[in-house]
Amino acid sequence: MTTLENRPGADFDSPEHQARLAELYRDFDAVGMTPLWRTREGLMPFSPEPRAVPHLWRWSELYPLAARSAELVPVGRGGERRAIGLGNPGLPGDPYATPTLWAAIQYLAPRENAPEHRHSQSAFRFVLEGEGVWTVVDGDPVAMRRGDLLLTPGWHFHGHQNVSDTPMAWLDGLDIPLVSGTDQGFFEFGPEEVRDKSTPHRSRSERLWGGPGLTPVSAVGPRPQSPLMAYRWAHTDAALAAQLELEEEGQPGVVEPGHAAVRFTNPTTGGDALTTMRTEMHRLRAGTRTRRTRTTASSVWQVFSGGGTVTMNGEERTLEHGDVFAVPSWTEFGLQADGDLDLFAFSDAPVLEKLFLLRTSTDGSAA
Amino acid sequence: MTTLENRPGADFDSPEHQARLAELYRDFDAVGMTPLWRTREGLMPFSPEPRAVPHLWRWSELYPLAARSAELVPVGRGGERRAIGLGNPGLPGDPYATPTLWAAIQYLAPRENAPEHRHSQSAFRFVLEGEGVWTVVDGDPVAMRRGDLLLTPGWHFHGHQNVSDTPMAWLDGLDIPLVSGTDQGFFEFGPEEVRDKSTPHRSRSERLWGGPGLTPVSAVGPRPQSPLMAYRWAHTDAALAAQLELEEEGQPGVVEPGHAAVRFTNPTTGGDALTTMRTEMHRLRAGTRTRRTRTTASSVWQVFSGGGTVTMNGEERTLEHGDVFAVPSWTEFGLQADGDLDLFAFSDAPVLEKLFLLRTSTDGSAA
Amino acid sequence: MTTLENRPGADFDSPEHQARLAELYRDFDAVGMTPLWRTREGLMPFSPEPRAVPHLWRWSELYPLAARSAELVPVGRGGERRAIGLGNPGLPGDPYATPTLWAAIQYLAPRENAPEHRHSQSAFRFVLEGEGVWTVVDGDPVAMRRGDLLLTPGWHFHGHQNVSDTPMAWLDGLDIPLVSGTDQGFFEFGPEEVRDKSTPHRSRSERLWGGPGLTPVSAVGPRPQSPLMAYRWAHTDAALAAQLELEEEGQPGVVEPGHAAVRFTNPTTGGDALTTMRTEMHRLRAGTRTRRTRTTASSVWQVFSGGGTVTMNGEERTLEHGDVFAVPSWTEFGLQADGDLDLFAFSDAPVLEKLFLLRTSTDGSAA
Amino acid sequence: MTTLENRPGADFDSPEHQARLAELYRDFDAVGMTPLWRTREGLMPFSPEPRAVPHLWRWSELYPLAARSAELVPVGRGGERRAIGLGNPGLPGDPYATPTLWAAIQYLAPRENAPEHRHSQSAFRFVLEGEGVWTVVDGDPVAMRRGDLLLTPGWHFHGHQNVSDTPMAWLDGLDIPLVSGTDQGFFEFGPEEVRDKSTPHRSRSERLWGGPGLTPVSAVGPRPQSPLMAYRWAHTDAALAAQLELEEEGQPGVVEPGHAAVRFTNPTTGGDALTTMRTEMHRLRAGTRTRRTRTTASSVWQVFSGGGTVTMNGEERTLEHGDVFAVPSWTEFGLQADGDLDLFAFSDAPVLEKLFLLRTSTDGSAA
């Protein structure tokens, strides 16, 4: 075949050729053109090469800083929330835990109120400890207590109020990076005070949707986001315990030996509770060591109780109460439990599944 | 336009023509042909003209007959079940409640065992009263108690055992007529005794799937039929009560004023718990009179508690504890509650929805 | 275990017991109750036991009878169509080809017009031979020519006009038995003459939807039924020919060696063109003998061109031009081609797939 | 309510407070924490504030540069393609047309071959002019000719060969930015020469899938990506012409007066041909001015034939043959045709639809 290289007279190393090439690249630049042949490896790597790095934040550091901010910074209209985002060291400039996920500590001092607003970004709160705050979602007051997962699906008004005399802090998860990176952000202010100051034990959403397998006939049909705003710890704990008991009885249920896990789902579809983020709770029996896995989903985890070790790309870190860690795409990942170990996790897996991009491999072998 | 009638010489009333026509119809018969022009109205009515009729069976009659049969007929291999089907008077020859639904009273005497089998037909049991029986579904013992709905999805092995010293009777619902009419029936014997004689408080399916919005990570993904085999009365009752309370608070939830209803759904899809039958529980506040409706779904109802009146095509019948009634397609239908009135209902609506045939109208106006 | 049979004093053969039992059954009858233990085998067979039988109608008999009827019976309002249904000998009383499918020869004499109407039943026409008729579907005139499949989805107005000087006959397929058996029939008269008497080469539906993989942006989104009203023989023939050529090239495409087949699909979903009936065209290379299969779908076939043999439950019948045959559920079925053999087929498979009831086995082994 | 601001003794302007705050922010930095209250407006704008800007590249500039590169740079393993990406001036550093879309001119000199590879990124080629190149997709040679859209769905091997004596250039579209931003990239080399050097008129994918509404029975079932690799200009042109003719006949079809458009769809689902990019062809009748719209999808357009004007956020640019322009999220957008105007367009709308993020407004009003 006749190609450029073997054409009579071609000399790619000649100074003349190099000069003409340099001129071409200058002309490319002038009109904003970039040749693929100079950028292919960066744009299209052989396997994911995330800039984000595996990273762990200590709760013992995060919490005191959040508490200090409460003495110095008010919560109010404009800033909106006393939430402090965890920035991945591999993504300097952007306060993102991974390229698609935002994770923050939110702190509400006694008797404080965070004003209502809504945004196209989806959000949830996971409660490591404490109680006394109600988040009001589209007018429905939802109690926040230890171990609970509370949803704020996209474009739902929400504000928070602490009715107690103790501060409360929790983990916020949002799809801010994804929505920002695709330019999908809309935001709107609501009332400065939460619109319903009552503090019911159960939210209306739980009263309507909280029966297992029970759907109000007035509201049948799929919805993109879960209509159930609270997933209570008592249920989550019981489901995890049941899986481990079933394992002991020789019955199916666990993900792998010693490893129970539940996914928080939308009862109208059976799919993920939120459209852009997967949320799960994992429990490892003492001594369990999980399989090493890789997935192209990026995720953020928080230690809910117990302790152990996380291994990411071969590097081990001890896990303590409340610690938060980020797992970028295609990181080799494993967990080990010292005593019983409970972890909350969220990821961008639903996005990748819908786009048929998600890949997973077990024990490090490529998918 | 030249048509047959105005062709020169045509005389449709002539004896000769009539004779030729009669000969043609004989020749049609000989090869099994039937002209549409002689049958169109029957085959394609202007609106549904069900042969099935609105009908009500009194529990006060059904139960004693079922009890008498227990003294005379054993339960065992071959006959399989002491179940007595309710035949719609409009469908003589077939023991069907409606053209698609089979409803029966099943009765198990103290210490009796109904042998295991499986079939392509889907089934459920609704418990009007009593307890002490466990239905074993694919090896999972499921307690049956007052107000519970228990599923036996198609092709799941199942048998029942009464471990108590009292008899127990319940309502069985199956899609036998639909499966029979489309020639889809498969049936297989299992063990003569239920394979697991334990009597746990909660079935394994409830332990795995009974948390609201919680899905085992090991089992995510849609399934045609619900993996949750028991819908417990405590949850159903609470959900109905909540809808009526929300109504009093001015919040959405009820189907119409004074009328709460929940649908039993498949947590992996949000759709109906079974593929071929919809199952629901309805509660009417004392004094409530529902809108008059028509739907092309046929249904069967049982009074769970309270009393009132059902009106079908203008005819009123009083409702008493345990009464069962059949509502054929396109019947004008309404309920009235004397005191609080709870009813269980099942219908073929999922079939018709999937085929885009379901029509509904409110207050008698055509859809 | 203590059961009825081994209770002290039980004697099931005693005259007294038999008398009590007879009395019980009389009392059951009086309230319309039927014991399952006396009917289980009929209601719930071990495998499908269709009343419908494999049956073949000769085109050489059908066509002359249809032609004779045109001399004796007009087409007009009331009778609506000169369509003559093919009744399965196993289903006496009902003019049904199978329990779910109605098949008929429709005949339109020169210059005749069949008045417009619509019905909830879905319909199609398959053209064995001839041309000159336009079917007007919701106001869109659709030419009918040899080899074409023309749709009339449920609740679309439609009438036919023959603008030529020759008669035309074709195969009509409808889901009348299914719709009748579930009481879903609605019917409405339209104009007595077709509302648009133009005779365009291509219907508007083809102009909008006839480009492969092209969807009008104004009409994106799924629809239950195909918006494409005509599937032209030229395309069908080319697709079948291509599959056999690809087979010769060693490429995938055919169903099995020597056996090409295309399904007529809804371009907005990729699923079946109609909600309740599957429609396909099959081509067998000369000498091909298909695998023996069983499926719980029932079907009706018509020989479009060529000849061969059909084997149903072991019985062979020769196939000639235009012959129609019915294949009930779970019939062992195979085809053999003498020369090239083209067949049109329709079935109730979409219904059964949606209900998760469809089973298929190959070479007679149970699924 | 007692808040931070009105607590006795609080003085937010005091030097001491400012010093403590500065110290807090330093401590935040040290652990990678970023307060939302200082970044909320950037992270969560009131409406999309894309960094990408509306931009137009002239074909009259692009093509000569591409041609020059063919004299200086070979095509071969490593660089892989002589494709030159168009970089949005608002996204310096990244050669991306929009935050999710990569657009490039690819140029193949006479008799050149671009080696095979595959990647998780989805790709297509749209042919502005010329012919003589075959793209070989998973071993299936697909001719590329003027007006055709050719697909290379993710993870399909593909290479190109120019068998003619004239160069050929076309528009490449890929989801590189989306896949890169979410760390989903996988890449693999294939053979250096295309594996099948034949040059058939129709690809195998067209022979199997190119019949309108016809699906091979051997291949039924949904696929995420279209199995049809080529959408031919003759079909696209005819579909657009038909819409405008139907408009003249008073029939539905066009998007708005004078504006026809077709979407390239996956025949197995009716959805977009590719999972991550929407592809469409638009035709404006001479003189047509489209409605002003905004959508949160970003898009890239190319003028296929004719001329006119594009207005983006109030700024008008004339459109000439081959011009490419980028429309960022939420840009107010309109087109005006001088003569007849045909445009090809692609966007990230399918991604946003699946995530329930897509918003659209007409005539500039907010959605």
Side-chain angles (χ1 to χ4, degrees):
Chain A
M1 193 181 74
T2 306
T3 65
L4 194 64
E5 291 91 336
N6 59 16
R7 274 188 304 185
D11 178 357
F12 284 91
D13 296 328
S14 70
E16 187 204 340
H17 185 271
Q18 291 303 320
R20 290 180 63 198
L21 204 54
E23 189 187 0
L24 176 69
Y25 290 155
R26 278 195 301 275
D27 291 349
F28 276 165
D29 272 351
V31 292
M33 294 176 85
T34 301
L36 181 62
W37 59 86
R38 304 183 83 190
T39 49
R40 204 270 309 156
E41 281 189 38
L43 292 176
M44 306 178 89
F46 291 103
S47 64
E49 297 178 351
R51 291 187 299 125
V53 295
H55 192 71
L56 182 145
W57 295 265
R58 292 277 171 223
W59 185 250
S60 56
E61 289 186 298
L62 299 177
Y63 185 83
L65 282 165
R68 267 172 63 195
S69 75
E71 298 185 7
L72 299 171
V73 183
V75 171
R77 178 58 75 225
E80 300 292 305
R81 298 289 183 263
R82 194 183 293 107
I84 312 151
L86 305 183
N88 190 295
L91 303 171
D94 287 323
Y96 300 160
T98 81
T100 52
L101 303 172
W102 191 80
I105 308 304
Q106 186 165 163
Y107 187 101
L108 214 50
R111 306 290 161 186
E112 273 188 332
N113 172 88
E116 289 204 7
H117 60 217
R118 64 176 175 178
H119 39 70
S120 50
Q121 290 86 355
S122 288
F124 67 81
R125 344 245 152 244
F126 175 71
V127 183
L128 179 67
E129 56 199 14
E131 63 181 32
V133 171
W134 268 252
T135 182
V136 182
V137 182
D138 271 347
D140 184 13
V142 183
M144 297 174 65
R145 302 186 200 98
R146 179 179 176 275
D148 293 345
L149 174 73
L150 303 316
L151 304 186
T152 316
W155 214 238
H156 284 53
F157 276 112
H158 57 285
H160 320 304
Q161 68 164 343
N162 187 344
V163 301
S164 81
D165 293 323
T166 49
M168 186 173 169
W170 61 83
L171 182 73
D172 270 355
L174 284 94
D175 55 8
I176 289 176
L178 178 77
V179 170
S180 181
T182 55
D183 294 321
Q184 301 302 308
F186 289 87
F187 186 95
E188 194 175 312
F189 289 135
E192 298 220 3
E193 304 264 315
V194 296
R195 64 189 76 188
D196 186 332
K197 298 207 163 183
S198 66
T199 56
H201 185 69
R202 293 183 89 204
S203 62
R204 292 197 297 270
S205 87
E206 292 166 272
R207 292 158 70 193
L208 271 179
W209 291 97
L214 301 181
T215 296
V217 170
S218 61
V220 289
R223 303 182 184 194
Q225 303 157 322
S226 177
L228 180 63
M229 294 298 136
Y231 296 76
R232 297 298 174 194
W233 175 242
H235 297 130
T236 306
D237 184 38
L240 293 169
Q243 286 185 18
L244 293 177
E245 289 160 12
L246 285 164
E247 185 189 22
E248 288 178 353
E249 298 168 23
Q251 298 290 345
V254 293
V255 174
E256 59 185 325
H259 178 184
V262 292
R263 185 169 297 168
F264 301 99
T265 51
N266 173 351
T268 74
T269 62
D272 286 286
L274 295 169
T275 49
T276 50
M277 293 183 284
R278 176 156 296 162
T279 49
E280 293 180 349
M281 196 85 196
H282 291 250
R283 173 167 293 173
L284 272 64
R285 202 191 291 279
T288 297
R289 185 181 177 279
T290 65
R291 278 191 300 266
R292 292 297 174 266
T293 57
R294 287 181 195 271
T295 171
T296 58
S298 67
S299 58
V300 175
W301 299 65
Q302 185 173 33
V303 178
F304 179 63
S305 70
T309 308
V310 62
T311 307
M312 294 188 279
N313 288 341
E315 192 173 336
E316 291 196 1
R317 301 294 304 264
T318 58
L319 295 175
E320 294 165 18
H321 175 70
D323 288 353
V324 177
F325 55 94
V327 188
S329 170
W330 219 233
T331 300
E332 197 195 36
F333 173 75
L335 293 166
Q336 185 159 349
D338 290 345
D340 288 354
L341 177 60
D342 283 5
L343 301 108
F344 171 79
F346 68 106
S347 79
D348 61 2
V351 173
L352 305 173
E353 279 186 354
K354 283 171 201 157
L355 304 179
F356 295 91
L357 288 169
L358 189 67
R359 290 199 198 189
T360 299
S361 86
T362 300
D363 285 312
S365 60
Chain B
M1 193 180 74
T2 305
T3 65
L4 193 65
E5 290 91 335
N6 59 15
R7 275 188 303 187
D11 178 357
F12 284 90
D13 296 326
S14 70
E16 186 203 341
H17 185 271
Q18 291 302 321
R20 290 180 62 200
L21 203 55
E23 188 186 1
L24 175 68
Y25 291 154
R26 278 194 302 274
D27 291 348
F28 278 165
D29 272 352
V31 292
M33 294 175 85
T34 302
L36 181 62
W37 60 86
R38 304 183 83 190
T39 50
R40 204 270 307 156
E41 281 189 39
L43 291 177
M44 306 179 89
F46 291 104
S47 65
E49 297 177 352
R51 291 187 299 125
V53 295
H55 191 71
L56 184 145
W57 294 265
R58 292 278 171 221
W59 185 250
S60 56
E61 289 186 296
L62 299 177
Y63 184 84
L65 282 165
R68 267 171 63 194
S69 75
E71 299 185 6
L72 298 172
V73 182
V75 172
R77 178 58 76 225
E80 300 293 303
R81 299 288 183 263
R82 193 183 294 107
I84 312 151
L86 306 183
N88 190 296
L91 303 170
D94 288 322
Y96 299 160
T98 81
T100 53
L101 304 172
W102 191 80
I105 307 305
Q106 186 165 163
Y107 187 101
L108 215 51
R111 306 291 161 185
E112 274 188 331
N113 171 88
E116 288 204 9
H117 60 217
R118 64 176 176 178
H119 39 69
S120 50
Q121 291 86 354
S122 288
F124 67 81
R125 344 243 153 244
F126 175 72
V127 182
L128 179 67
E129 58 199 14
E131 63 181 32
V133 170
W134 268 253
T135 181
V136 182
V137 181
D138 271 348
D140 185 13
V142 184
M144 298 176 64
R145 302 185 200 98
R146 180 180 176 273
D148 293 345
L149 175 72
L150 302 319
L151 303 187
T152 315
W155 214 237
H156 284 53
F157 275 112
H158 56 286
H160 319 304
Q161 67 164 342
N162 188 346
V163 301
S164 80
D165 293 322
T166 50
M168 187 173 167
W170 60 84
L171 181 73
D172 271 354
L174 284 94
D175 54 8
I176 289 176
L178 178 77
V179 170
S180 181
T182 56
D183 293 322
Q184 301 301 310
F186 290 87
F187 186 95
E188 194 175 311
F189 289 134
E192 299 220 3
E193 303 265 314
V194 295
R195 64 188 77 188
D196 186 333
K197 298 206 164 184
S198 66
T199 56
H201 185 69
R202 293 182 89 205
S203 62
R204 292 197 298 270
S205 87
E206 292 165 272
R207 292 159 69 193
L208 272 179
W209 292 97
L214 301 181
T215 297
V217 169
S218 61
V220 287
R223 303 181 183 195
Q225 301 158 323
S226 178
L228 181 62
M229 294 299 137
Y231 296 77
R232 297 297 175 196
W233 175 241
H235 296 131
T236 306
D237 183 38
L240 293 169
Q243 286 185 19
L244 293 177
E245 289 160 12
L246 285 163
E247 184 188 23
E248 287 178 354
E249 298 168 24
Q251 298 291 344
V254 293
V255 174
E256 60 185 324
H259 178 184
V262 293
R263 185 169 298 168
F264 301 99
T265 52
N266 173 350
T268 75
T269 63
D272 286 286
L274 295 168
T275 50
T276 49
M277 293 183 283
R278 175 155 297 161
T279 48
E280 293 181 348
M281 196 85 197
H282 291 250
R283 173 167 294 173
L284 273 63
R285 203 191 289 281
T288 297
R289 185 181 178 279
T290 65
R291 277 191 300 266
R292 292 297 173 266
T293 58
R294 289 181 194 270
T295 171
T296 57
S298 67
S299 58
V300 175
W301 300 64
Q302 183 173 34
V303 178
F304 180 64
S305 69
T309 309
V310 60
T311 308
M312 296 187 278
N313 288 341
E315 190 173 338
E316 291 197 1
R317 301 294 303 265
T318 58
L319 295 174
E320 295 165 16
H321 175 70
D323 288 353
V324 177
F325 55 93
V327 187
S329 171
W330 217 234
T331 300
E332 197 196 36
F333 173 74
L335 292 165
Q336 187 160 347
D338 290 345
D340 287 354
L341 177 61
D342 282 5
L343 302 109
F344 171 79
F346 68 107
S347 79
D348 60 2
V351 174
L352 306 173
E353 279 186 354
K354 284 171 200 156
L355 304 179
F356 295 92
L357 287 169
L358 188 67
R359 290 200 197 188
T360 299
S361 86
T362 300
D363 285 313
S365 61
Chain C
M1 192 180 75
T2 305
T3 65
L4 193 65
E5 290 91 337
N6 60 15
R7 274 188 301 184
D11 179 357
F12 284 92
D13 296 325
S14 70
E16 187 204 337
H17 185 272
Q18 292 301 323
R20 288 180 62 198
L21 204 54
E23 188 187 1
L24 176 68
Y25 291 154
R26 279 194 302 275
D27 291 349
F28 277 164
D29 272 352
V31 292
M33 294 175 85
T34 303
L36 181 64
W37 60 85
R38 304 184 83 188
T39 50
R40 203 272 307 156
E41 282 189 38
L43 291 176
M44 307 179 89
F46 290 104
S47 64
E49 299 177 350
R51 291 187 299 125
V53 295
H55 192 70
L56 183 144
W57 295 265
R58 293 274 173 226
W59 185 250
S60 56
E61 289 186 297
L62 299 178
Y63 185 83
L65 282 165
R68 267 171 64 195
S69 75
E71 299 183 7
L72 299 172
V73 182
V75 172
R77 178 58 76 223
E80 301 292 305
R81 298 288 183 265
R82 193 184 293 107
I84 312 151
L86 305 182
N88 190 296
L91 303 170
D94 288 323
Y96 300 159
T98 81
T100 53
L101 303 173
W102 191 81
I105 308 304
Q106 186 166 164
Y107 187 101
L108 214 51
R111 307 291 161 184
E112 272 188 333
N113 171 87
E116 288 204 8
H117 60 218
R118 65 176 175 177
H119 38 69
S120 50
Q121 290 87 355
S122 288
F124 67 81
R125 343 246 154 241
F126 175 71
V127 182
L128 179 67
E129 57 198 15
E131 62 182 32
V133 170
W134 268 253
T135 180
V136 182
V137 182
D138 271 348
D140 184 13
V142 184
M144 298 175 64
R145 303 187 201 95
R146 180 178 175 275
D148 294 344
L149 175 72
L150 303 317
L151 303 187
T152 315
W155 214 236
H156 284 53
F157 275 112
H158 57 285
H160 320 306
Q161 67 164 343
N162 187 344
V163 301
S164 80
D165 293 322
T166 49
M168 185 171 170
W170 61 83
L171 181 73
D172 270 354
L174 284 94
D175 55 8
I176 289 176
L178 178 76
V179 170
S180 181
T182 56
D183 295 321
Q184 301 301 309
F186 289 87
F187 186 95
E188 195 175 313
F189 289 136
E192 298 220 3
E193 304 263 315
V194 295
R195 65 188 78 188
D196 185 333
K197 297 207 163 183
S198 66
T199 56
H201 185 69
R202 292 182 90 205
S203 62
R204 292 197 298 269
S205 88
E206 292 165 272
R207 292 159 70 194
L208 272 179
W209 291 97
L214 301 181
T215 297
V217 169
S218 61
V220 288
R223 303 181 184 195
Q225 301 157 324
S226 178
L228 180 62
M229 294 298 137
Y231 297 77
R232 298 296 175 195
W233 174 241
H235 296 130
T236 306
D237 183 38
L240 293 169
Q243 286 184 20
L244 292 177
E245 289 160 13
L246 285 164
E247 185 189 20
E248 287 177 353
E249 299 167 23
Q251 298 290 346
V254 293
V255 174
E256 59 184 325
H259 179 184
V262 292
R263 185 169 297 168
F264 302 99
T265 51
N266 174 350
T268 74
T269 63
D272 287 285
L274 295 169
T275 50
T276 50
M277 292 184 284
R278 175 155 297 163
T279 50
E280 293 180 348
M281 196 84 195
H282 290 250
R283 173 168 294 173
L284 273 63
R285 203 192 289 281
T288 297
R289 184 180 177 281
T290 65
R291 277 191 300 267
R292 293 296 174 267
T293 57
R294 288 180 195 270
T295 171
T296 57
S298 66
S299 57
V300 175
W301 300 63
Q302 184 173 32
V303 178
F304 179 63
S305 68
T309 308
V310 60
T311 307
M312 295 187 277
N313 287 341
E315 191 173 339
E316 291 196 2
R317 300 295 301 266
T318 59
L319 294 175
E320 294 165 18
H321 175 70
D323 287 353
V324 176
F325 55 92
V327 187
S329 170
W330 219 233
T331 300
E332 197 197 34
F333 173 75
L335 292 166
Q336 187 159 348
D338 290 345
D340 287 355
L341 177 61
D342 283 5
L343 303 108
F344 171 80
F346 68 107
S347 79
D348 61 1
V351 173
L352 306 174
E353 278 186 354
K354 284 172 200 156
L355 304 179
F356 295 91
L357 287 168
L358 189 67
R359 290 199 198 189
T360 300
S361 87
T362 300
D363 285 312
S365 62
Chain D
M1 194 180 75
T2 305
T3 66
L4 193 65
E5 292 90 336
N6 60 16
R7 273 189 303 186
D11 178 357
F12 284 91
D13 296 325
S14 71
E16 187 204 338
H17 185 271
Q18 292 301 322
R20 289 179 63 198
L21 205 52
E23 188 188 1
L24 176 68
Y25 291 154
R26 279 193 302 274
D27 292 348
F28 277 164
D29 271 351
V31 292
M33 293 175 85
T34 301
L36 181 64
W37 58 88
R38 305 184 83 190
T39 50
R40 204 272 307 156
E41 281 189 38
L43 292 177
M44 306 178 89
F46 291 103
S47 64
E49 297 178 352
R51 292 187 300 124
V53 296
H55 192 70
L56 183 144
W57 295 266
R58 292 276 171 222
W59 184 250
S60 55
E61 289 186 297
L62 299 177
Y63 185 83
L65 283 165
R68 266 171 64 194
S69 74
E71 300 183 7
L72 299 172
V73 183
V75 171
R77 178 59 75 224
E80 300 292 303
R81 298 288 183 263
R82 194 183 293 106
I84 312 151
L86 306 182
N88 190 296
L91 303 171
D94 287 323
Y96 299 160
T98 81
T100 52
L101 302 172
W102 192 79
I105 308 304
Q106 186 166 164
Y107 187 101
L108 214 51
R111 307 290 160 185
E112 272 188 333
N113 171 86
E116 288 204 7
H117 59 217
R118 65 176 175 178
H119 38 70
S120 50
Q121 291 85 357
S122 289
F124 66 81
R125 343 245 154 244
F126 175 73
V127 183
L128 179 66
E129 56 199 14
E131 63 181 33
V133 171
W134 267 253
T135 181
V136 182
V137 182
D138 271 347
D140 184 12
V142 184
M144 297 176 65
R145 303 187 199 96
R146 178 179 177 275
D148 293 345
L149 174 73
L150 302 318
L151 303 187
T152 315
W155 214 236
H156 285 52
F157 275 113
H158 56 286
H160 320 305
Q161 68 164 343
N162 187 346
V163 301
S164 80
D165 294 322
T166 49
M168 186 172 169
W170 61 83
L171 182 74
D172 270 354
L174 284 93
D175 54 8
I176 289 176
L178 178 78
V179 170
S180 181
T182 55
D183 294 322
Q184 300 302 310
F186 289 87
F187 185 95
E188 195 176 313
F189 289 135
E192 299 220 4
E193 304 263 315
V194 295
R195 66 189 75 189
D196 186 333
K197 297 206 163 183
S198 65
T199 56
H201 185 70
R202 293 182 90 204
S203 61
R204 293 198 297 271
S205 87
E206 291 165 273
R207 292 159 70 195
L208 271 179
W209 291 97
L214 301 181
T215 296
V217 170
S218 60
V220 288
R223 303 181 183 195
Q225 302 157 323
S226 177
L228 180 63
M229 294 297 137
Y231 297 77
R232 298 296 175 196
W233 175 241
H235 296 130
T236 306
D237 183 39
L240 293 169
Q243 285 185 20
L244 292 177
E245 289 160 13
L246 285 164
E247 185 189 21
E248 287 177 353
E249 299 167 23
Q251 298 290 345
V254 293
V255 174
E256 59 184 325
H259 179 184
V262 292
R263 185 169 298 169
F264 300 100
T265 51
N266 173 351
T268 74
T269 63
D272 287 285
L274 295 169
T275 49
T276 51
M277 292 183 285
R278 175 156 298 163
T279 49
E280 293 180 349
M281 196 85 195
H282 290 250
R283 174 167 293 173
L284 273 62
R285 202 192 290 280
T288 297
R289 184 180 178 281
T290 64
R291 276 191 301 266
R292 293 296 174 268
T293 57
R294 288 181 194 270
T295 170
T296 57
S298 67
S299 57
V300 175
W301 299 64
Q302 185 174 32
V303 178
F304 179 64
S305 70
T309 308
V310 61
T311 306
M312 295 188 277
N313 288 341
E315 192 174 337
E316 291 196 0
R317 300 295 302 266
T318 58
L319 295 175
E320 295 165 18
H321 175 70
D323 288 354
V324 176
F325 55 93
V327 187
S329 170
W330 218 232
T331 300
E332 196 196 35
F333 173 74
L335 293 165
Q336 186 159 348
D338 291 345
D340 287 355
L341 176 60
D342 282 5
L343 301 109
F344 172 78
F346 68 106
S347 79
D348 61 1
V351 173
L352 306 173
E353 278 185 355
K354 284 172 201 156
L355 304 179
F356 296 92
L357 286 169
L358 188 67
R359 289 199 198 189
T360 299
S361 87
T362 301
D363 285 311
S365 61

